[in-house]
Amino acid sequence: MGKKDLEKYIQDIGTPRDYSDSKFLVYVEFYKPSKKLKKIISEHCKVVKELEFGYLCEAHLQAIPEIARSLSLKNHGIYQIVRLVKLPGY
């Protein structure tokens, strides 16, 4: 993939300064979901659905580092956090 092709994919991915009311569907993955993990995540966003290895959540972008921080402070390993899509209506 050439540099020019790569530019079209990365031009709109930098959003750490997004303090808007926009919410995103976010997937938080663990080895095994638990009530403890769900409770910690729920302090920062709305857990929409439990999946086999994690949770789908509605979250503001600024909640994502807070979720990671809260989980790591309780010594929970995070396999990945993926921002899936901006939710309509926010």
Side-chain angles (χ1 to χ4, degrees):
M1 178 181 290
K3 183 177 180 181
K4 196 169 195 172
D5 294 335
L6 189 59
E7 292 300 319
K8 69 181 178 183
Y9 295 110
I10 63 171
Q11 71 186 30
D12 292 325
I13 63 170
T15 55
R17 290 185 213 101
D18 184 345
Y19 291 95
S20 69
D21 288 335
S22 299
K23 286 195 179 177
F24 292 80
L25 188 62
V26 176
Y27 174 61
V28 185
E29 186 178 82
F30 305 96
Y31 172 72
K32 184 178 179 182
S34 70
K35 289 181 182 181
K36 282 184 184 180
L37 296 171
K38 185 176 181 180
K39 183 179 179 186
I40 293 168
I41 295 169
S42 296
E43 293 173 6
H44 305 287
C45 64
K46 179 181 177 186
V47 175
V48 181
K49 185 173 184 173
E50 182 175 326
L51 301 173
E52 183 179 5
F53 295 108
Y55 299 96
L56 282 177
C57 308
E58 291 180 5
H60 296 286
L61 284 182
Q62 293 301 319
I64 295 171
E66 293 300 322
I67 292 167
R69 180 179 177 276
S70 294
L71 290 165
S72 66
L73 285 173
K74 301 281 186 175
N75 204 28
H76 295 292
I78 305 163
Y79 280 61
Q80 63 178 325
I81 298 177
V82 181
R83 177 182 64 185
L84 298 170
V85 64
K86 184 176 181 178
L87 294 171
Y90 289 100

